[in-house]
Amino acid sequence: MSSSYVAPLPDPRLATDPWRASTVAIRAVRPEVEGVSTYDLAFQDEAVRASYRFAPGQFNMLYLPGAGEIAISISDDPRNTATCAHTIRVAGNVTRTLAGMKVGDTLGLRGPFGTSWPLAECIGRDVVLVTGGIGLAPIRPAICALLHQRRQFGRLNLLYGARSPDTLLYAREYDDWSERGLIVHTTVDRSALGWMGNVGVVTLLLERLRSFDPRNTVLFCCGPEVMMRFTVLTALNRGMSPEQIWISMERNMQCAVGLCGHCQLGPDFICKDGPVFRYDRIAPFLDVEGL
Amino acid sequence: MDPSQLRFILEELRFSAMLPAEVLDQLAAASTIKQIPAGTVIFREGGTNDNLYLIRDGRLALEMSVPGRGAVRILTLGAGEMVGWSALLDEGKMTASAIAVEDSEVVVAEAEKLRQLCRANRDFGYHLMEQMAAALSKRLVATRLQLLDLFAASPTPVPDRTSESEA
Amino acid sequence: MHSKPKLGVFKFASCDGCQLSLLDAEDHLLAVAGAVEIAYFLEATSRIEPGPYDIALVEGSITTAHDAERIHQIRRDARFLITIGACATAGGIQALRNWADCPEFVRSVYATPAYISTLDTSTAIADHVKVDFELRGCPINQYQLIEIIQSLLAGRRPRTPVHSVCLDCKRRGTVCVMVTQGAACLGPVTQSGCGALCPTYNRGCYGCYGPAAQPNLVSLTNQFSAAGVPRDDVVRGLRSFNGYAPEFRVESDRLENSREPHA
Amino acid sequence: MTTSTAVKSKERFLSKEAFAQLFTVLRDHGYTVIGPTIDQEAIVYDRIHSVDDLPLGWTDEQAPGSYRLKPRDDEALFGYVVGPHSWKRFLFPPEATIAEANKTDAGWQFEGTTDDPPKFAFLGVRACELAAMRVQDRVFLSGAYVDPIYQRRRSRSLVIAVNCTQAASTCFCTSMRTGPQCTSGYDLVLTELASGFVIDAATAEGADILDSLETTVALIETQQEARAARQQAVQQIERRMDTTDIRDLLLSNLEHPRWSHVAERCLSCTNCTMVCPTCFCSSVKEVSDLSGEHVERQRHWDSCFNFDFSYMNGGNVRDNTRSRYRQWLTHKLSSWIDQFGTSGCVGCGRCITWCPVGIDLTEEVAAIRGDVP
Amino acid sequence: MTERTIKVTALTRVEGEGGLYIKLRENAVEDVRLEIYEPPRLFEALLCGRQLEDVPDITARICGICPVAYQMSSVHALEAALGITISPEIRRLRRLLYCGEWIESHALHVYLLNAPDFLGFESGLEMAESFPEAVKRGLRMKKHGNQLLEVLGGRAIHPINVAVGGFYRAPRRDDLQRLIPDFEWCLQAAVETTRWVAGFQFPDFSCDYQLVSLAHDDEYPMNEGRVVTSAGESIAVDDYEEEFEERHVEHSTALHSLRKKTGDTYLVGPLARVGLNLDQLSPTARRLADEVGIAWPTGNPFHGIVARGIELIHAFEEALSILRDYQPARPPRLDYSYVLGAGCAATEAPRGLLYHRYAIDADGRVLEAKIVPPTSQNQPQIEADLREWIPQALSDDEARTSRQCENLVRCYDPCISCSTHFLKVKIDRS
């Protein structure tokens, strides 16, 4: 496994002051689906750009002065060093402000932060990626990494659920992914005229997955918490063990470095101990309401 | 089709894989296998239907018609899954329409035969109904998740609580 | 060029203090006036433009039949309606009449009650029309008001903190008057916004910003009773400028209706 | 504590008259003295200029939800326990600008904090407060990321500890093994006696200060008297918390009915977290000038009791007082250990005294343990 | 016979909401009514039964522009009822607080409400485009007035620090003295203000006023004194209700305060205060009063803006002298015991004399409250002046006539929210 996919040490400049952002400029904005766009961000400072590395599953803090700061998972190919893509849904004031910005505008970026998908664990094994809605965005770097070194892995399945056919993210890339050896299964909760694909919740895809060897599979899951809970349940029912399951959690990440307290879940800070957790570590705290 | 071949098929299907041998035999004896071309309507919502179907291959869709919206596809079902439970539990009054989305192969069991078997053999009845209940409970949970509309965007943007902004 | 958003400021039963907060924002006033078109603001300008208004700030409570009609017209004319101040968000101090025999109230003030046409209640604007945002306070905090206007101009949804006054006391180093003096301070159940003024001035909070999010009134009033505050005083303390806000109202009614001999 | 090398203990005696010189010596060493003084009917920590600012002859009487200043019948300067303030106010200030953004022709440019605090000398730091500083050191300084504001303030400050010679009813430092005697983490340590102080330095900087004061050798009797005074504090501590297996106790009782019970009383007002010397939760707000081209990011104290502290995707994860109190207590006493290798509680009792309704965490833990009916 | 009615449905740039109704017959004034449609808020009733400590907090809410005036009259009346005499330090601090309110209120009226009339603008904000420096000067004075209120009272609108017996907390010397440099700037700004407004064009109009204000032997009237009139009377505040009466006048739905014995109208406010207390003005204010070329007392209501300018100077100058000598009062608040009793007090609100009377029981509860605000005293005078003014203001252009009438009304700086809660109001919007 290439070392570039291991979570790198933070940029020493950032490490000296975790609150200090670097300037990034919007290089491109690609509308994905209604209310969701991908922003390619490029560091203004060459030195920062040169040293910036992230691992699939990590996130950045994007800072829009005056509006605020939000945690956004990175959705780029980790080998891409020119720009860094973030797929963002308009959900609040910061993302709405971002949606009003254009190519060339600048903002602040701190990162990368957090843990990453355990790609090294996947070598020689099958990988199932279960994801829903915008949850595909943090999985995309993992897809890029898996496909880049396709031969190192067994069967690769992506099970992706969206609300409706027109909200399937990155649809233009599925053919490419398939050609390169990722089996893409999609399903929607709300069908539409002309949709010949699956209808029903994404956990059903896992239920139906054939050629599934529960003891030799690693499962990555990213999506709403309820979806992840039932995905895990299905995976366990199908014979997987908790140590093979990895999920990406979300909480109110603010400082991103474990200093502000907002994103705690049980003994973990989602920002620094996560967002990617092995399921058995987080399991005792996942089902406790209001923890 | 040869019942032993059918039994072999049933053993492979998720719905029936866990059934004891004699139950499988009986089920195989009550079943036939059928090819269904894409687009075939297997039964219609509100209509009657005499069979329980187990999908061996291909994909079926369940649709319900809503005035003004036409036929709304609720769920697609694939290999190993059961369709047509109303035939067995609801006297054949169907709650949705089933259509083959692609060329499919299904195991067809006559509901009346199954009912007779259930009455005659409580053991058979227990095992069949256990699988029915398990399949339906999974479908119920899946429907609940669908109902939660987990992937919906917030209807209106809400203020981020990530930071308090102030003039 | 886009035309500037139109701002209307409307008054119902009130003291004018909340709209004065806008004029009291001396450092921001001209900037605000430059960013919006002040289309209706009787206290500030003789220029009166008809609706619709992009932002309507509504001060005061509904106390007359005519006002109960008038607010509907303002709602129709307003794209984003913000109520400002305790009168508009909770009925104000004049809502004390809601617990009283209002005609008797009128008789006690006016020699010829027949001339007085007023409803028996003073109610919040939200009791009559849909309100898009409520800005609390008696009076409101001018910085919060400016921030809300700026948020709307920037296309953001406004927000104000909903935590208790206690947090602000601690941030500014104010020592708890409940703990050191046994003062009947409403700070633990009152929403932030004033900057924790009263405890900093050595007195208990009297609830100008109304109930904080999920306030535990019962526990607090139990504590007051345990500290020897007479029940009548607790009821009176809850019934002031935000007395008719639901959480305060329910608790003052509960206390008044409870007939525990020792309370 | 200043980062100078440790020195060997050599106890000296400092008379009350000579003690007054301490302020001059500290000023000459470039320190701004923060110490106990009476304000708002309490002994608070504030900037002090001379011995006259100290609470001479005053003490505090504390109980759950109650704090009263009382005159003493002697002239003790440090004859009180701990008050509403803690030193975190100066090391992790309630409001601080952590970053700035300026719009230039080349777009937004970002700066880190420009916080430039004076060199603080903290006078009158108690053993539990030394422990609290150690806890916050773990939080802010021990991880991959270091908080620059805390780091700068902490590294420049001088810690003058004072041993407790009495305890409040809310103290339980002995249970948390943090006091009452100061054992480490200070530059200088004092034990107050009627005649003066027994003083000792633990660092070179402390020794430097000590050398500038007029002291005499501490006689054996004086040292014994000081020990007895310290022992008096130990004996006065009544409150206990059983910390046996407390991490697992709380984490295995996340659905205990006691959480609902305490939620009936808890006001979720945030006071316990604000007065706690180790609580470190914060939020950041954007403060922009009118042009919007200069923005400061201001960090301020926040609390897990704050209604929308756990806000996410349009709702709050911890949407009721039960879950918020549980979060606080399990974090403080249990998951803190996972995170920082230490309990988050130092047994100072502030959260008990300053809770407006007098909720006592030791009682809550005992209830969860099943020790009280 | 031609009948004309002129209706100003909404008076603008005044505190509170009211209208003006004028009926003319053959160009002769038949009826003039200042119509007040502010809904009544029944303060006097809702005060009854409240603990007397609540009174300054509640009465503040009568008016957002002059809450301090209500707090001052109420604490003084309650202290009279309780038989307590405050210390000189507390008294000075209260004067200082009052200065803050005069500054805030007068600066608001001069710059944002009244000056636009003289210069032909519809608002102070619009005026700012042509007179940016003047408006900024006004806003800065207002801001510093508000800052004084904030330091002393906690906040400018509805201060929280005013207590029966004194203040909840005495402000720190540093916090107050920090204001001095700005106040020194403001004093000059107030002088410039007075010169600026004195240069306005005033209509040739004069009324024969009976002026009424407080007067005090040692100081410009603010917190206390005797009630004096331009007829040479000097009346103890305790006898106020013997001499002044709110009466129902046939042509109006509002209660008008009139001289009890003669039924005469009278004028309160800055014109009355300056006119009756010229020699108590601070040195600079006194100098400017002479310099502006108005013969005091003046009968021209349009001179009100100049009187406010002079009072601004006075307020800054007096505030400066108090700030410079300030020592915190110890204790900031006097103790007292409840006694059955009654007491009254009058103070000078920015708009004029404000009278309060309370009866309290032995448990400290309010039994009865009476409040006579300045605007209800001025209202009959305003209507009387309008009758005089209309022939001069009348033109064929209805809008112009209305504006002229409004201009006159604004000169008195009426405070409608205040007045309405005590006036007899008939809500009639026909």
Side-chain angles (χ1 to χ4, degrees), chain E residues 13 29 35 89 132 251 307-308 312 315 354 363 376 418 430:
Chain E
R13 279 181 284 129
V29 182
E35 290 193 321
E89 291 80 18
H251 71 257
R308 284 185 182 83
L312 268 174
L354 168 59
D363 295 322
S376 79
C418 299
S430 55

Side-chain angles (χ1 to χ4, degrees), chain D residues 6-56:
Chain D
V7 296
K8 231 178 139 185
S9 163
K10 215 170 103 212
E11 288 193 329
R12 305 283 296 174
F13 178 76
L14 179 70
S15 70
K16 290 244 158 141
E17 295 70 36
F19 174 79
Q21 302 163 2
L22 178 63
F23 290 86
T24 319
V25 172
L26 290 172
R27 197 166 46 243
D28 292 348
H29 279 72
Y31 287 106
T32 295
V33 184
I34 308 293
T37 191
I38 291 183
D39 186 32
Q40 306 173 72
E41 311 199 21
I43 295 169
V44 302
Y45 297 150
D46 204 346
R47 198 170 162 176
I48 55 173
H49 302 91
S50 76
V51 73
D52 298 336
D53 292 329
L54 295 173
L56 181 136

Side-chain angles (χ1 to χ4, degrees), chain A residues 131-151:
Chain A
T131 159
I134 192 105
L136 182 57
I139 289 279
R140 186 173 175 267
I143 293 174
C144 295
L146 290 166
L147 292 180
H148 175 59
Q149 288 165 311
R150 177 67 189 85
R151 261 171 265 150

Side-chain angles (χ1 to χ4, degrees), chain A residues 269-290:
Chain A
F269 291 109
I270 302 298
C271 68
K272 70 169 195 187
D273 301 314
V276 177
F277 289 96
R278 203 168 83 173
Y279 175 68
D280 55 334
R281 169 164 179 173
I282 201 95
F285 310 104
L286 208 54
D287 288 338
V288 182
E289 193 207 330

Side-chain angles (χ1 to χ4, degrees), chain E residues 59-74:
Chain E
T59 54
R61 267 71 179 186
I62 291 170
C63 177
I65 294 187
C66 49
V68 169
Y70 284 90
Q71 295 189 318
M72 289 296 114
S73 282
S74 62

Side-chain angles (χ1 to χ4, degrees), chain D residues 112-126:
Chain D
T113 181
T114 51
D115 184 51
D116 186 22
K119 278 169 68 180
F120 291 120
F122 298 135
L123 174 61
V125 182
R126 307 297 185 164

Side-chain angles (χ1 to χ4, degrees), chain C residues 12-262:
Chain C
F12 290 84
S14 66
C15 77
D16 257 35
C18 292
Q19 50 177 309
L20 181 67
S21 296
L22 192 55
L23 298 180
D24 268 2
E26 293 91 2
D27 292 339
H28 299 84
L29 182 59
L30 296 179
V32 170
V36 300
E37 179 193 347
I38 297 179
Y40 189 96
F41 188 179
L42 292 184
E43 184 167 358
T45 176
S46 302
R47 181 184 300 278
I48 297 177
E49 304 284 339
Y53 307 98
D54 294 287
I55 303 171
L57 302 177
V58 177
E59 173 191 279
S61 66
I62 303 296
T63 58
T64 68
H66 178 267
D67 280 352
E69 289 299 312
R70 184 163 63 103
I71 187 59
H72 284 281
Q73 184 58 47
I74 293 170
R75 175 68 269 189
R76 281 191 289 275
D77 282 347
R79 203 164 66 83
F80 202 92
L81 190 153
I82 303 173
T83 48
I84 56 170
C87 297
T89 63
I93 187 69
Q94 58 272 19
L96 287 184
R97 72 172 67 176
N98 301 359
W99 283 281
D101 175 355
C102 191
E104 180 52 41
F105 253 42
V106 173
R107 268 194 299 281
S108 72
V109 179
Y110 297 98
T112 321
Y115 287 140
I116 302 301
S117 155
T118 181
L119 297 172
D120 287 348
T121 55
S122 168
T123 44
I125 300 298
D127 292 348
H128 300 264
V129 295
K130 177 181 174 288
V131 169
D132 298 304
F133 189 82
E134 287 193 335
L135 183 63
R136 302 271 203 85
C138 183
I140 57 166
N141 175 326
Q142 53 157 288
Y143 298 102
Q144 290 189 341
L145 178 63
I146 299 291
E147 154 64 10
I148 281 166
I149 293 173
Q150 284 186 335
S151 289
L152 292 174
L153 294 179
R156 297 196 294 261
R157 276 189 75 84
R159 66 168 296 228
T160 44
V162 295
H163 58 70
S164 72
V165 170
C166 298
L167 189 58
D168 295 332
C169 265
K170 295 301 180 291
R171 283 176 187 162
R172 66 185 286 179
T174 297
V175 177
C176 184
V177 294
M178 246 186 107
V179 173
T180 56
Q181 302 174 35
C185 177
L186 290 178
V189 293
T190 296
Q191 182 171 303
S192 154
C194 63
L197 279 183
C198 285
T200 305
Y201 280 77
N202 198 31
R203 60 181 298 200
C205 163
Y206 59 83
C208 292
Y209 280 68
Q214 298 177 346
N216 190 343
L217 266 303
V218 175
S219 174
L220 186 68
T221 60
N222 282 345
Q223 184 70 15
F224 290 163
S225 298
V229 183
R231 190 181 56 195
D232 284 357
D233 289 3
V234 179
V235 170
R236 193 172 45 77
L238 288 169
R239 289 183 184 166
S240 70
F241 310 102
N242 282 284
Y244 216 61
E247 294 89 340
F248 286 179
R249 177 177 76 214
V250 164
E251 179 61 8
S252 73
D253 288 348
R254 184 189 72 87
L255 288 171
E256 196 169 57
N257 295 330
S258 68
R259 285 281 174 264
E260 296 156 47
H262 59 274

Side-chain angles (χ1 to χ4, degrees), chain D residues 71-338:
Chain D
R72 294 173 63 94
D73 52 12
D74 62 13
E75 301 206 319
L77 293 168
F78 297 94
Y80 58 89
V81 187
V82 290
H85 290 175
S86 70
W87 306 101
K88 86 174 176 188
R89 171 166 293 280
F90 304 94
L91 295 172
F92 167 54
E95 302 266 348
T97 300
I98 52 164
E100 287 177 28
N102 290 292
K103 197 163 199 174
T104 69
D105 291 342
W108 285 104
Q109 301 301 319
F110 304 97
E111 298 300 327
T113 181
T114 51
D115 184 51
D116 186 22
K119 278 169 68 180
F120 291 120
F122 298 135
L123 174 61
V125 182
R126 307 297 185 164
C128 58
E129 299 179 321
L130 294 171
M133 287 182 190
R134 284 195 295 271
V135 170
Q136 286 213 326
D137 287 351
R138 296 265 186 133
V139 173
F140 289 121
L141 304 178
S142 74
Y145 294 93
V146 162
D147 183 72
I149 293 175
Y150 183 89
Q151 184 182 39
R152 194 169 311 163
R153 288 169 174 250
R154 181 77 167 109
S155 64
R156 297 170 74 179
S157 52
L158 181 84
V159 176
I160 305 171
V162 171
N163 280 307
C164 285
T165 54
Q166 64 183 80
S169 85
T170 45
C171 293
F172 60 104
C173 61
T174 44
S175 296
M176 304 315 292
R177 287 173 282 282
T178 56
Q181 182 162 353
C182 303
T183 53
S184 68
Y186 50 79
D187 294 281
L188 281 166
V189 64
L190 303 165
T191 304
E192 187 174 21
L193 303 170
S195 54
F197 297 90
V198 171
I199 183 168
D200 196 2
T203 61
E205 178 71 5
D208 194 24
I209 305 279
L210 183 53
D211 290 346
S212 310
L213 295 166
E214 287 172 28
T215 58
T216 54
V217 173
L219 302 172
I220 299 290
E221 307 85 86
T222 314
Q223 291 188 20
Q224 277 168 354
E225 195 189 338
R227 259 197 298 281
R230 293 193 292 262
Q231 191 54 33
Q232 179 173 296
V234 177
Q235 278 152 6
Q236 285 181 9
I237 293 173
E238 305 157 354
R239 204 165 294 267
R240 296 273 178 272
M241 185 160 77
D242 181 357
T243 60
T244 316
D245 294 330
I246 193 159
R247 180 198 174 275
D248 297 336
L249 172 78
L250 295 181
L251 287 187
S252 59
N253 277 293
L254 294 174
E255 304 291 1
H256 197 284
R258 187 70 187 188
W259 303 120
S260 299
H261 183 266
V262 68
E264 281 174 23
R265 293 176 64 208
C266 175
L267 304 171
S268 208
C269 67
T270 77
N271 278 329
C272 49
T273 55
M274 295 290 111
V275 296
C276 177
T278 69
C279 272
F280 61 89
C281 285
S282 65
S283 289
V284 173
K285 70 178 174 185
E286 298 288 303
V287 181
S288 51
D289 68 354
L290 270 176
S291 69
E293 298 191 345
H294 174 75
V295 181
E296 294 192 356
R297 308 204 72 209
Q298 286 183 359
R299 177 174 70 183
H300 52 74
W301 287 357
D302 207 336
S303 167
C304 54
F305 282 98
N306 192 350
F307 170 73
D308 53 8
F309 187 76
S310 60
Y311 180 90
M312 184 176 80
N313 295 342
N316 298 321
V317 175
R318 293 186 282 273
D319 200 27
N320 52 55
T321 301
R322 171 184 175 271
S323 59
R324 292 194 285 270
Y325 189 89
R326 181 180 64 187
Q327 164 64 21
W328 177 65
L329 200 71
T330 55
H331 184 219
K332 181 99 336 198
L333 298 174
S334 173
S335 50
W336 204 294
I337 300 168
D338 296 71

